[in-house]
Amino acid sequence: MPLMPDEIIAQVIDRCDIVEMIASYIPLKRAGQSFKANCPFHQEKTPSFIVNPHKQIFHCFGCGAGGNVVSFVMKQERMEFPEAIRFLAQKVNVPIPTDEPSQPHAANIRQTILKVNALAVNYFHQMLLADKTPAAQGARAYLQQRKVSLDTVHKFQLGFAPDSWDGLLTHLRKEGISLGLMEKAGLIIPRERGDGYYDRFRNRIIFPIFDTQAHCRAFGARALDQETTAKYINSPETILYTKGHHLYGFHLAKQSVGEKDSVIIVEGYMDCLMPYQSGITNVVASLGTALTVEQIRLLRRYTHNVVMLFDADPAGESAMMRSLDMLIEEGIEVKVATLEEGEDPDSFVRRYGAEDLCGRITNARGLFDYKLNVLMGRFGVRSVETKAKIASEMLPTIYRFSNELIKAEYIKRLAKSLDVDEELLAREYKKAGQVLSQRISAKMTEHTAVNQARARAVERSLLRLMMEKEEFISQAKDEVILSDFQDARIRSAISKIFELFDQGRRIDPSSLINSLEDPGTQQMLSGLLSEEEIGGDREKMYRDCIARMRHDKLKFKRQQLLQCIQQAESGGDSARVGELTRQFNQSIKSED
């Protein structure tokens, strides 16, 4: 997300009244010249949350939370700083500057596609509610049969895609939306013969997929025709939507998740809809797949407590098992609720009611017990070979826990369950840890290579900007140092530019290339300067490059520290682990 000018940030903050903003979330009571309330960030009976309208700040004397209006929105809405500024800017009508119309920025395209999606949501929703065709009537009858209430239809903005090749396409054309934008949004598909487009979703129940701010990013669609091959289809990946980055129903559940400090994760749309309708409001769906790191980190902004509630079938069990280790690595406390074979949360809550489902959730088993039970059911413990197989699956999971006491207890319990010698199992645990550390190290090395490639792209952009506008050279000299550049050839070119600038000499492509001794650096520079020029706000591009380089520098440092921590753990050097962990935590604080 591009950085915003400081004057825009200042204007947004100046126009926001902190009392008015906070009062839109929680009730405030006058207390002298200030206002008081129960803190929204922790449980308390006596108000200790103070809002000072004169200083435009808030502070909680109970939990220590405090800051200005931006700080409050960031904490309340779980937003990053740029998101919070944009959120507040909309509320106080401060326009965020964009690139010129002739050179539209990606952010402009994103906003436009969000509007296209919003039009599509409304179209599908109205088709479901009011269309008189037999197909639409069948869609309504299907939802009634599944006991989906009208209130739920409205809350989740469910829709219906008519049994037509171009129903949505025609509607959006009337709204002035181009075919190109519809295709970018993933709503239409080009015909194979190249003579036009047709709607992606036809004769299906539509489930809009919203982000945390209730913006529609994509759509899921369930077929009503039993003969249709694909029961469910989803939007393709677009500029707005990356599969595995979102959770269905989270825009409705996030407040409840924060209040209960717990989230229930199910698989599909209906598995989320029906428990929510029954009053279990801290439920989200993983959109039919095993959880991803991005989904887990999104949840982690709201809670560290997860209850997995996947379908009671082999596919659901496999998806759950794949997610468990990842959840541990991300510091999540995991429990697993189970249902009878063949049941899913949707069918269970319709058959037995919300109270019984809540009972299953309350009695959810710990991750260790669940995984061990599944593996013992699969393999049994009658032979040495099956015991070894179970141990090989369980020991890497145990290794991922950060608490040494928990690890020791789980090894003891595993040894007892398998009826094997605990000391022998501990030796196997150490070997499993070494293998896992090597895998993690290799994965991080690969990830580092990807990050370095991205860093080179940023460095190339900065080099090009410095060649286009000399004032960026003087700015860069004050904001970066040569060691910040990871690419050796780019670092060499920048070094020469700084040298020529300090000498007051002319800097142009020809003279710079002539002054470089390394043929590879000369080729890199000539190739870079020969690329087609990209339009846009140069000052903004420069600021983005500097910010990205600083961020990547910190990120690269953390990755190196993590690799060193893994090596120290494998070698049993607890003192070095402690020192490296301290450095890692300090690097995070330095960015905050």
Side-chain angles (χ1 to χ4, degrees):
M1 183 178 290
L3 294 177
M4 276 170 277
D6 290 341
E7 61 269 19
I8 295 296
I9 296 172
Q11 190 178 357
V12 169
I13 295 173
D14 287 343
R15 287 199 189 181
C16 286
D17 179 72
I18 194 169
V19 174
E20 182 180 334
M21 180 58 60
I22 293 179
S24 68
Y25 290 94
I26 58 174
L28 296 176
K29 291 184 178 180
R30 170 73 72 172
Q33 294 185 340
S34 298
F35 292 84
K36 268 191 173 185
N38 285 334
C39 181
F41 306 127
H42 79 286
Q43 297 293 323
E44 63 178 8
K45 294 181 179 179
T46 303
S48 59
F49 182 87
I50 306 297
V51 183
N52 187 315
H54 304 292
K55 296 182 179 179
Q56 288 291 296
I57 61 172
F58 75 92
H59 183 79
C60 176
F61 290 93
C63 68
N68 63 3
V69 66
V70 182
S71 310
F72 179 85
V73 169
M74 288 173 65
K75 193 168 180 64
Q76 179 70 24
E77 297 287 348
R78 274 77 169 184
M79 290 179 172
E80 300 298 327
F81 182 83
E83 293 179 281
I85 291 294
R86 291 179 182 276
F87 176 83
L88 291 169
Q90 286 187 326
K91 289 188 175 292
V92 294
N93 298 316
V94 173
I96 301 296
T98 58
D99 294 336
E100 298 82 355
S102 59
Q103 297 289 347
H105 193 276
N108 291 344
I109 298 175
R110 291 167 63 89
Q111 290 299 316
T112 303
I113 294 177
L114 281 175
K115 292 176 182 176
V116 174
N117 281 351
L119 289 171
V121 169
N122 186 63
Y123 170 78
F124 290 137
H125 192 54
Q126 292 306 313
M127 286 292 105
L128 178 62
L129 295 177
D131 189 46
K132 304 298 184 184
T133 62
Q137 291 173 357
R140 291 190 286 271
Y142 170 79
L143 290 174
Q144 289 171 0
Q145 178 190 348
R146 298 290 294 265
K147 298 183 180 180
V148 179
S149 70
L150 184 59
D151 182 54
T152 297
V153 167
H154 285 303
K155 280 183 179 177
F156 286 85
Q157 296 188 59
L158 303 186
F160 171 65
D163 192 9
S164 166
W165 287 99
D166 59 359
L168 176 63
L169 188 154
T170 301
H171 173 76
L172 292 179
R173 286 295 291 269
K174 289 178 181 178
E175 296 290 335
I177 306 301
S178 69
L179 293 172
L181 279 173
M182 294 182 216
E183 186 177 10
K184 282 186 173 68
L187 295 168
I188 60 174
I189 301 172
R191 296 184 184 277
E192 291 184 3
R193 296 191 301 271
D195 57 346
Y197 294 82
Y198 60 91
D199 289 354
R200 180 179 296 276
F201 307 115
R202 304 179 306 282
N203 196 29
R204 290 176 179 269
I205 299 288
I206 298 295
F207 300 88
I209 300 168
F210 297 95
D211 61 20
T212 56
Q213 299 306 307
H215 299 132
C216 179
R217 296 296 191 101
F219 298 88
R222 188 196 192 283
L224 288 172
D225 184 352
Q226 299 298 323
E227 297 179 1
T228 302
T229 304
K231 184 177 179 181
Y232 282 96
I233 61 173
N234 299 299
S235 294
E237 292 200 353
T238 67
I239 191 173
L240 289 179
Y241 178 67
T242 302
K243 185 179 179 182
H245 283 207
H246 301 275
L247 291 156
Y248 182 70
F250 197 28
H251 66 299
L252 295 175
K254 64 178 184 178
Q255 182 175 346
S256 179
V257 169
E259 290 172 353
K260 297 180 180 181
D261 192 19
S262 175
V263 64
I264 302 150
I265 305 177
V266 297
E267 286 185 81
Y269 305 109
M270 294 298 293
D271 294 329
C272 178
L273 282 172
M274 296 310 295
Y276 188 96
Q277 179 177 294
S278 300
I280 303 172
T281 53
N282 59 328
V283 59
V284 300
S286 64
L287 297 171
T289 63
L291 284 175
T292 65
V293 171
E294 290 77 15
Q295 288 172 326
I296 295 169
R297 290 175 181 171
L298 174 60
L299 287 170
R300 199 174 59 187
R301 291 161 63 179
Y302 294 78
T303 182
H304 282 72
N305 300 299
V306 164
V307 177
M308 303 289 289
L309 182 61
F310 278 22
D311 295 358
D313 58 21
E317 183 181 276
S318 296
M320 199 138 49
M321 293 286 277
R322 290 197 302 273
S323 303
L324 297 180
D325 287 351
M326 198 182 306
L327 285 159
I328 299 171
E329 287 179 350
E330 294 298 321
I332 301 295
E333 183 73 28
V334 192
K335 291 187 176 181
V336 181
T338 55
L339 305 173
E340 278 76 13
E341 188 174 352
E343 293 279 9
D344 56 40
D346 166 32
S347 64
F348 188 92
V349 79
R350 283 189 286 118
R351 180 174 298 178
Y352 301 107
E355 188 175 343
D356 278 7
L357 185 59
C358 285
R360 296 298 180 104
I361 293 166
T362 302
N363 295 320
R365 307 175 74 175
L367 177 151
F368 176 88
D369 292 326
Y370 171 79
K371 185 168 185 177
L372 179 58
N373 185 64
V374 169
L375 293 173
M376 290 176 72
R378 284 183 187 175
F379 305 118
V381 289
R382 296 182 179 178
S383 68
V384 174
E385 289 77 15
T386 56
K387 290 180 180 182
K389 179 65 176 174
I390 293 172
S392 70
E393 296 274 351
M394 290 299 299
L395 290 175
T397 295
I398 295 172
Y399 183 83
R400 286 178 165 90
F401 284 92
S402 58
N403 189 295
E404 294 299 326
L405 290 176
I406 291 176
K407 290 181 180 182
E409 176 62 23
Y410 284 163
I411 290 173
K412 183 184 296 184
R413 288 168 59 181
L414 180 60
K416 184 176 180 181
S417 298
L418 298 180
D419 191 22
V420 297
D421 182 77
E422 185 179 337
E423 186 177 339
L424 180 64
L425 195 63
R427 289 203 295 269
E428 288 300 310
Y429 165 81
K430 188 173 182 180
K431 287 195 287 186
Q434 290 172 344
V435 171
L436 186 60
S437 293
Q438 290 170 0
R439 288 178 185 171
I440 292 173
S441 179
K443 188 175 181 180
M444 290 179 66
T445 300
E446 180 183 346
H447 186 61
T448 299
V450 172
N451 285 338
Q452 287 175 336
R454 186 177 65 180
R456 282 195 294 272
V458 174
E459 293 169 11
R460 284 169 62 87
S461 296
L462 182 58
L463 173 56
R464 181 164 183 160
L465 287 167
M466 291 168 67
M467 289 300 298
E468 291 177 2
K469 207 171 182 180
E470 191 169 280
E471 67 182 73
F472 289 141
I473 299 175
S474 59
Q475 291 181 46
K477 278 178 62 63
D478 294 332
E479 297 188 86
V480 295
I481 56 177
L482 289 175
S483 61
D484 290 341
F485 294 88
Q486 297 182 32
D487 187 290
R489 289 175 176 174
I490 294 175
R491 183 167 58 247
S492 176
I494 297 288
S495 176
K496 181 58 68 174
I497 289 173
F498 286 168
E499 179 186 327
L500 295 174
F501 180 82
D502 288 339
Q503 295 171 359
R505 293 169 57 185
R506 181 182 174 186
I507 302 172
D508 57 50
S510 178
S511 60
L512 179 59
I513 289 173
N514 284 338
S515 67
L516 295 169
E517 298 178 1
D518 176 58
T521 305
Q522 292 175 341
Q523 292 174 11
M524 176 277 299
L525 186 60
S526 62
L528 174 65
L529 298 177
S530 299
E531 292 173 0
E532 185 177 346
E533 191 168 315
I534 301 173
D537 186 336
R538 293 294 191 274
E539 184 63 31
K540 186 187 296 182
M541 292 167 66
Y542 170 81
R543 301 268 26 121
D544 288 346
C545 286
I546 296 296
R548 186 75 254 176
M549 285 185 65
R550 288 172 177 167
H551 175 79
D552 286 347
K553 181 180 180 181
L554 276 172
K555 194 170 183 179
F556 182 65
K557 179 182 177 182
R558 289 177 198 151
Q559 288 171 345
Q560 289 180 315
L561 284 170
L562 284 173
Q563 285 180 310
C564 292
I565 289 170
Q566 292 286 346
Q567 292 169 359
E569 283 181 336
S570 298
D573 190 344
S574 58
R576 181 161 171 75
V577 169
E579 172 60 22
L580 290 169
T581 302
R582 186 193 65 76
Q583 292 179 30
F584 181 83
N585 292 335
Q586 188 61 41
S587 74
I588 293 175
K589 290 179 182 178
S590 67
E591 189 173 34
D592 294 340

